[in-house]
Amino acid sequence: MGKHDRLKMPVKHLISFEKLLQKYDQHLKGDNPFLAATAERILAVEKGFPELRDGFSDFSLLEKNKDLIERILQDTFTEALSGNEIKVATLPFQNTIIKSSKRFQTIISEAGDNYEPELRNLGEEMDYIMSCVVILNYYYGYQLDFSRPYFYDIPDAAGVMRHYRILYNADFIDIIPTDKAKEITQEDVDELLANPTDATLWIEKIPPESFISKGFVIANLFDVTMEQAISNIKSKLISKDTLQPAKFMHDLQETFKSFFRLPNIKVGFASFDAKKDQFEEVAGMGFESFLLRGEHHMNCKNALCEDSYDKLIGSNSYYTIADIDLKVEQSGNMQPFKGLKEQGVQSAIFAPIAFENNLLGVLEIVSEKKGVLNGVNAQKLDDVMPFIVSAVVRTKNEENNRIDAIIQNECTSVHSSVYWKFQEEAKKFILDETEGRSPSFKEIVFKDVYPLFGQIDIKDSSQARNLAIQRDLMIQLSEIDNVLNIAFKKWELPIYEELIFRVNNHLESIKETLYTNSEQAIFDFVNDEISPVFEHLKKNDKDIEKHILKYESKIDMGTGSYYDHRKNYDESVTLINKKVSAIIDKRQESAQAMYPHYYERYKTDGVEHNMYIGSSISENKEYNPLYLNNLRLWQLQVMCEMENAHYSLKPKLPVPLDVASLILVYNTSLSIRFRMDEKQFDVDGTYNARYEVIKKRIDKSYIKGTNQRLTEKGVLSIVYSQKKDELEYLRYIKFLKSKGCFTDKIEIVELEGLQGVSGLKAIRAEILYKREQEPEKTYTYQDLMDALKE
């Protein structure tokens, strides 16, 4: 008869038929003889059973008095309508069944053996609060809106979940207070309404079992499976659970089963790219596609036949297949029928998802049974397609936004520390546009910022690259010479002898030194004169063809040249850059936490970085010169860490390249401006341009009075012009030496004047490499200050 072990509610239920029997009392005294005869027959039944009027809470009496109750309720459950009406005599918001119609009994029996229907539960606390609202309305007389629908969810014989909405008829029930009931004032109601989910407060005002409901209610059930399925599809698409794509997909499949009332259907989805005329999988959402058959993408002409292509893509209309086997036979095993049959599909509906006449994708509904999906039930999709379209449009927009964000993040220099300024300008731009003014994105300038520059440069990279090119060209020319000699011995044509002579000339010209134009000259010679001869030989001589194919197998498709030593060089540069840039990028996260500053890093033959710090860059944090000192000390430590990373990596490199490190100290603040055309920051103004000149030329400088370059492997060079900076950095180096970053070998040198720049000096500090790379600890400026006090 249902479950009764719920939380104690504010209402204790007594089953009673008094209000119904009172109606029959009136009919007995009335003028209608037919009603009076019926009333007499029913009232005779309850004689000797006072509990039927007085009420009872012992639910076992329902079974004991089953026949009496059936007769009392026989007019309420008209026999003529019993096969169609879904109707239950019950208690409000309970699962107790007092009497039910034949249709309800059929629904329950089809749900399975011993199936007990349960109300869809929104949680016991909410049920308690809703019961309290009923009491406030029906007993205390407050007009509160509590129109909350109740549902039964009951599976049908095929296992498809059906949903029934309940409408209660409360004509035969009274609500009576007990001695636990409290007086309720308007202030109490206001407090309750201000705390609509605070169950403790509601329990305090209206305690458990402080009222009795005496009587019963008639629950009329209406099959709202279709409406519920549409609602579920809509809500799932609007608030898709992207964190659990598999669950989202499973729930959507179940909803479509209810929607079509078919237990054996599956749902798939293929996205459409109009530019490439191809279907694509939807990444990350758990959707499979029956058209794509496991491929990531497929041209629509390969996925569809002419008829399905015209319907789906040409006219954006449904395409249905009621019998796959028949279609396979008629089409001569064409797609999509062949692929669908291989996947066990027997009938299918393909629905185009189109917005403003543009196809976005195809919804695929398939079944393993013949004929269950067809042109008739395809029309049901009309009710849900608008929701599916809006969800796909939103998803496409979100994807485009993500793509834009990635492009902005990966391809432009809008660093997080200055993003707030760009946002400000973008908001002004939108406001100007909205208010009809001519919008323009103003140039972004940060004034009075201090620059920091550092680089870890691959030593003698030009020489190493030239040596790699020279070796590859010599190998390539030797291979060509071998093939031509074989051809000359076989055919003795003068043209082969002449080509051998020219190949050897090229070999001689690059044996000692690779000149600037040599690479291009050899490339053109091979392309224009050797390749056509080799093509001719391949067609006419199978023996020589083997030698030519062996030569061609060593030629790189990308460069059109022999690419072995250069590949080793390029791989080595890439590995160095990747390793050291990963370190500074990771370390930057903690540096930003100290004080927000602009940071950019780019790869050349090595890795360079620029940083700018000052009050104009921070949106809301007050600037202090201490933060510049802190960042300078941090930069020194990170440069040492990058050097150590290279030291560990060098033995594993294809070409064991060396690096040299440099820091430029600039003690004057300057302005930086975002160049809209170049999408990057640059120093602003002619005076500040001196900084850029120094930065570009500094690593080519020599120590004064010598022919020795400033930068060398194993040494960190710190370039400056002011005595104050010299003292500051010597202090940092002394501190970091105590922490195992530098050796005792430290020197101060003057630099030869650069073009337009003179008076520069440098500290050259030998780096102490650690054989066992331990996690680097970053020391703060405060650590330095504390050390100096000791």
Side-chain angles (χ1 to χ4, degrees):
M1 284 289 176
K3 296 179 182 176
H4 313 290
D5 54 348
R6 293 165 59 114
L7 171 81
K8 277 191 177 179
M9 287 294 167
V11 176
K12 184 176 181 181
H13 294 288
L14 282 183
I15 298 173
S16 163
F17 301 98
E18 183 171 26
K19 284 196 88 173
L20 176 63
L21 293 170
Q22 280 172 357
K23 281 196 181 296
Y24 287 121
D25 288 339
Q26 289 165 10
H27 290 166
L28 194 62
K29 296 170 190 167
D31 299 334
N32 189 319
F34 176 76
L35 289 177
T38 306
E40 190 175 357
R41 191 177 71 251
I42 285 168
L43 289 168
V45 169
E46 56 104 15
K47 291 278 192 296
F49 296 97
E51 68 267 24
L52 295 177
R53 281 187 189 258
D54 298 342
F56 58 89
S57 57
D58 180 358
F59 293 107
S60 66
L61 291 177
L62 284 173
E63 191 63 40
K64 188 178 172 187
N65 297 328
K66 188 178 178 185
D67 293 340
L68 297 175
I69 292 166
E70 288 274 343
R71 274 185 272 170
I72 289 170
L73 294 175
Q74 69 183 32
D75 274 9
T76 318
F77 286 77
T78 311
E79 185 63 30
L81 302 176
S82 189
N84 188 285
E85 286 186 338
I86 315 172
K87 198 169 175 182
V88 187
T90 181
L91 296 174
F93 317 131
Q94 299 283 306
N95 297 313
T96 309
I97 297 169
I98 298 167
K99 178 177 169 58
S100 57
S101 67
K102 284 180 182 170
R103 172 89 185 275
F104 182 82
Q105 288 163 18
T106 304
I107 288 167
I108 296 302
S109 65
E110 285 181 352
D113 293 342
N114 302 318
Y115 184 84
E116 290 188 1
E118 279 198 64
L119 286 169
R120 190 186 298 169
N121 191 357
L122 295 184
E124 288 188 336
E125 289 189 349
M126 276 311 295
D127 281 344
Y128 191 100
I129 289 166
M130 291 312 296
S131 296
C132 289
V133 171
V134 174
I135 291 165
L136 288 172
N137 277 13
Y138 283 92
Y139 179 74
Y140 291 105
Y142 292 101
Q143 298 301 308
L144 306 179
D145 182 5
F146 74 105
S147 53
R148 172 189 170 203
Y150 278 82
F151 295 90
Y152 278 128
D153 302 318
I154 305 171
D156 67 10
V160 174
M161 189 59 74
R162 305 289 281 272
H163 308 287
Y164 301 91
R165 183 169 179 176
I166 303 163
L167 290 183
Y168 286 114
N169 177 340
D171 288 350
F172 308 115
I173 197 161
D174 269 330
I175 291 179
I176 305 158
T178 70
D179 54 4
K180 293 179 186 173
K182 296 181 177 181
E183 186 187 342
I184 299 284
T185 65
Q186 184 63 51
E187 286 75 19
D188 292 326
V189 174
D190 292 344
E191 189 181 352
L192 289 169
L193 293 179
N195 299 280
T197 58
D198 184 354
T200 309
L201 179 67
W202 287 78
I203 288 168
E204 182 201 319
K205 301 287 184 193
I206 304 174
E209 298 189 349
S210 56
F211 285 82
I212 291 169
S213 78
K214 185 181 176 187
F216 69 97
V217 291
I218 302 288
N220 291 285
L221 276 65
F222 300 90
D223 189 337
V224 291
T225 303
M226 178 68 75
E227 292 83 351
Q228 183 77 37
I230 292 170
S231 172
N232 284 354
I233 289 167
K234 182 180 176 183
S235 62
K236 283 185 200 331
L237 292 170
I238 287 170
S239 58
K240 63 181 187 296
D241 189 353
T242 49
L243 296 175
Q244 295 176 291
K247 181 181 183 301
F248 168 75
M249 195 58 223
H250 173 268
D251 290 350
L252 202 61
Q253 300 261 27
E254 291 303 309
T255 305
F256 268 101
K257 285 177 185 178
S258 293
F259 181 71
F260 278 100
R261 302 183 184 183
L262 295 169
N264 57 355
I265 62 169
K266 289 181 183 173
V267 180
F269 183 77
S271 186
F272 175 69
D273 185 331
K275 290 177 191 165
K276 296 178 182 174
D277 193 32
Q278 70 179 21
F279 291 129
E280 298 173 348
E281 71 171 344
V282 181
M285 277 307 298
F287 281 109
E288 61 179 315
S289 168
F290 300 93
L291 288 173
L292 284 172
R293 311 189 293 277
E295 299 290 324
H296 295 301
H297 52 78
M298 187 183 292
N299 188 279
C300 296
K301 294 270 175 29
N302 298 333
L304 301 171
C305 64
E306 194 174 332
D307 184 31
S308 55
Y309 185 94
D310 289 344
K311 280 196 175 170
L312 286 170
I313 295 165
S315 59
N316 291 348
S317 57
Y318 298 145
Y319 185 73
T320 59
I321 309 163
D323 186 343
I324 293 283
D325 288 341
L326 182 64
K327 281 285 189 182
V328 167
E329 195 180 311
Q330 288 174 345
S331 69
N333 217 19
M334 279 179 67
Q335 296 295 5
F337 318 112
K338 176 177 181 283
L340 291 168
K341 185 176 179 179
E342 286 168 359
Q343 294 172 85
V345 174
Q346 285 297 311
S347 61
I349 299 169
F350 296 103
I353 297 166
F355 182 67
E356 295 176 350
N357 296 322
N358 295 318
L359 185 69
L360 305 173
V362 174
L363 178 71
E364 310 162 350
I365 299 153
V366 302
S367 172
E368 62 203 23
K369 289 198 173 178
K370 200 167 290 186
V372 298
L373 294 170
N374 50 63
V376 175
N377 58 7
Q379 302 309 313
K380 287 161 68 93
L381 286 171
D382 289 349
D383 294 326
V384 293
M385 287 312 285
F387 307 129
I388 293 169
V389 169
S390 64
V392 173
V393 168
R394 194 188 71 250
T395 304
K396 290 264 183 188
N397 289 339
E398 286 172 0
E399 183 182 29
N400 289 335
N401 289 343
R402 280 201 303 275
I403 289 166
D404 288 346
I406 288 163
I407 291 169
Q408 181 181 321
N409 190 42
E410 298 295 324
C411 308
T412 69
S413 302
V414 182
H415 186 250
S416 57
S417 63
V418 294
Y419 194 68
W420 63 273
K421 190 73 171 173
F422 285 81
Q423 281 180 312
E424 273 185 8
E425 289 303 327
K427 284 174 188 170
K428 287 177 192 169
F429 186 95
I430 292 165
L431 188 63
D432 286 349
E433 198 171 41
T434 309
E435 295 181 355
R437 295 191 291 273
S438 176
S440 65
F441 202 94
K442 292 179 182 63
E443 280 198 308
I444 287 168
V445 179
F446 292 101
K447 294 182 177 177
D448 203 26
V449 295
Y450 290 88
L452 294 94
F453 170 76
Q455 69 174 39
I456 182 159
D457 197 35
I458 291 167
K459 283 290 285 176
D460 305 322
S461 57
S462 300
Q463 284 171 254
R465 189 188 291 108
N466 284 346
L467 186 62
I469 294 168
Q470 183 185 15
R471 285 173 176 170
D472 282 343
L473 288 174
M474 287 178 76
I475 292 167
Q476 185 175 3
L477 289 167
S478 298
E479 295 273 347
I480 291 167
D481 186 56
N482 288 341
V483 175
L484 289 172
N485 272 300
I486 294 165
F488 181 63
K489 275 178 191 168
K490 190 162 187 179
W491 302 100
E492 293 190 347
L493 291 175
I495 186 68
Y496 297 141
E497 191 175 16
E498 193 266 344
L499 283 171
I500 290 166
F501 173 74
R502 288 169 67 194
V503 166
N504 283 309
N505 270 353
H506 278 300
L507 262 169
E508 281 300 316
S509 74
I510 62 168
K511 198 173 273 181
E512 298 301 325
T513 312
L514 181 73
Y515 294 100
T516 315
N517 62 341
S518 297
E519 186 184 1
Q520 189 61 47
I522 293 167
F523 181 80
D524 292 342
F525 167 65
V526 172
N527 238 20
D528 301 341
E529 305 196 43
I530 300 296
S531 294
V533 171
F534 279 10
E535 285 303 313
H536 165 75
L537 285 167
K538 275 200 291 187
K539 287 175 191 167
N540 294 292
D541 193 312
K542 289 289 173 195
D543 184 46
I544 292 175
E545 184 188 26
K546 285 182 212 163
H547 294 286
I548 293 171
L549 289 173
K550 187 182 171 189
Y551 156 77
E552 285 179 346
S553 69
K554 296 174 184 174
I555 299 298
D556 179 66
M557 296 297 288
T559 60
S561 303
Y562 197 83
Y563 185 64
D564 183 31
H565 292 87
R566 264 176 297 180
K567 185 182 178 188
N568 288 338
Y569 170 81
D570 289 344
E571 272 185 18
S572 300
V573 171
T574 304
L575 286 167
I576 292 168
N577 286 352
K578 195 174 174 184
K579 184 81 172 178
V580 298
S581 58
I583 287 169
I584 192 166
D585 285 353
K586 181 69 183 156
R587 286 275 177 240
Q588 251 295 299
E589 293 170 17
S590 58
Q592 288 294 341
M594 298 172 196
Y595 188 85
H597 58 279
Y598 181 78
Y599 161 77
E600 65 182 0
R601 182 263 305 149
Y602 40 96
K603 296 171 186 172
T604 51
D605 278 350
V607 174
E608 296 182 10
H609 66 268
N610 287 314
M611 294 184 290
Y612 300 98
I613 188 167
S615 58
S616 59
I617 284 176
S618 175
E619 188 177 8
N620 46 30
K621 195 171 181 181
E622 193 176 329
Y623 176 73
N624 185 293
L626 174 81
Y627 294 121
L628 172 61
N629 302 137
N630 208 58
L631 197 58
R632 284 176 166 183
L633 178 59
W634 172 89
Q635 184 189 32
L636 266 180
Q637 293 172 82
V638 172
M639 291 297 285
C640 288
E641 192 179 347
M642 287 157 77
E643 277 272 6
N644 268 281
H646 169 262
Y647 179 78
S648 302
L649 181 69
K650 186 179 169 183
K652 301 167 194 165
L653 295 172
V655 180
L657 298 168
D658 287 314
V659 299
S661 295
L662 169 85
I663 285 173
L664 173 61
V665 182
Y666 202 73
N667 70 337
T668 311
S669 67
L670 42 79
S671 296
I672 54 171
R673 182 185 295 271
F674 188 76
R675 308 282 178 196
M676 299 301 286
D677 50 349
E678 296 172 17
K679 296 285 181 284
Q680 66 179 41
F681 278 99
D682 207 347
V683 294
D684 190 38
T686 49
Y687 173 73
N688 295 330
R690 180 175 183 268
Y691 172 70
E692 287 293 334
V693 171
I694 298 171
K695 208 166 71 174
K696 283 185 174 66
R697 296 175 182 168
I698 193 69
D699 65 330
K700 304 290 188 293
S701 60
Y702 288 86
I703 296 170
K704 198 169 189 176
T706 72
N707 57 1
Q708 186 188 350
R709 287 279 284 270
L710 166 66
T711 56
E712 68 171 272
K713 70 172 183 177
V715 171
L716 177 57
S717 302
I718 302 154
V719 179
Y720 60 94
S721 61
Q722 301 291 323
K723 187 69 178 174
K724 178 171 164 281
D725 296 329
E726 180 185 293
L727 295 172
E728 182 180 342
Y729 273 86
L730 285 172
R731 201 166 68 218
Y732 296 159
I733 290 165
K734 186 179 179 184
F735 172 66
L736 291 176
K737 189 175 77 172
S738 72
K739 303 297 180 186
C741 295
F742 297 106
T743 70
D744 289 329
K745 194 176 174 187
I746 295 159
E747 61 176 338
I748 295 171
V749 297
E750 285 186 49
L751 303 187
E752 286 287 357
L754 298 166
Q755 190 179 348
V757 180
S758 59
L760 293 177
K761 296 174 79 176
I763 300 167
R764 298 171 89 231
E766 188 179 56
I767 297 158
L768 179 62
Y769 295 104
K770 299 161 189 158
R771 292 201 173 275
E772 289 300 317
Q773 191 66 12
E774 57 200 58
E776 197 72 22
K777 176 170 171 27
T778 307
Y779 298 99
T780 66
Y781 190 74
Q782 190 56 50
D783 293 332
L784 168 68
M785 292 292 105
D786 293 344
L788 291 174
K789 286 176 196 169
E790 289 170 8

